[in-house]
Amino acid sequence: MRRIFLITLIIIFSKLNFLYSKPNDQIIHDALGFMLGGDNGWDGVATEYQIDGCIITYVQNFMGNNLIAIYDFDKALWNSAASQIGDDGRDYFILNGNEGLQEVYAYGPEGEDVSDGLWAWGIQAGPGSLMTFPILVDISRFENAMYDLMDECPGIKSKY
């Protein structure tokens, strides 16, 4: 009887530990940095960034402005992940999810909000359910990083 009780407690605690485990920020750092900046990692894309589990915020210089992107991979629908050739001939990563998967804002040199002007570059300002960015490396290397990110941030469960 005592053995059964101990085994039951071990099973319960191991399941609780798994349910409440926090994503590994270092794996997210390495994987997403590579996906966004290629071999240069975060240095190739961001002037500053913050990783808090599956919510990543970064700032990049964009046409003399500060572009702020916020990604919430808890809202990602990974089954939708695809690559697509853009009008400029480059490969782009496309990912759908719930509203808030990606938020983008832009601020001018004096701190003024210039987010409304992002549409001129095909960027939707504010919260959205679609994420798109250029793929800078061989697709197989990109996919390896994406799978690492998916393991840490599984997103929305979907059969399709």
Side-chain angles (χ1 to χ4, degrees), residues 109-132:
E110 304 298 319
E112 67 277 14
D113 188 345
V114 294
S115 301
D116 289 340
L118 290 172
W119 66 268
W121 289 277
I123 300 172
Q124 176 190 337
S129 59
L130 177 67
M131 178 184 295
T132 304

Side-chain angles (χ1 to χ4, degrees), residues 142-153:
F142 184 91
E143 285 176 346
N144 288 338
M146 182 185 76
Y147 291 133
D148 285 348
L149 183 58
M150 287 171 59
D151 286 343
E152 296 303 315
C153 302

Side-chain angles (χ1 to χ4, degrees), residues 22-61:
K22 188 174 182 328
N24 185 321
D25 286 354
Q26 187 62 49
I27 292 174
I28 293 168
H29 170 273
D30 294 347
L32 186 59
F34 180 77
M35 290 170 68
L36 291 169
D39 288 322
N40 294 320
W42 284 104
D43 290 341
V45 71
T47 57
E48 57 185 276
Y49 59 91
Q50 177 181 345
I51 298 169
D52 183 13
C54 295
I55 300 174
I56 296 89
T57 304
Y58 69 93
V59 179
Q60 72 180 131
N61 187 328

Side-chain angles (χ1 to χ4, degrees), residues 54 72-79 95-98 101 149-158:
C54 295
D72 185 349
F73 287 105
D74 287 329
K75 297 177 180 178
L77 181 58
W78 288 107
N79 290 346
L95 181 66
N96 289 299
N98 285 345
L101 168 66
L149 183 58
M150 287 171 59
D151 286 343
E152 296 303 315
C153 302
I156 302 166
K157 300 290 183 212
S158 175

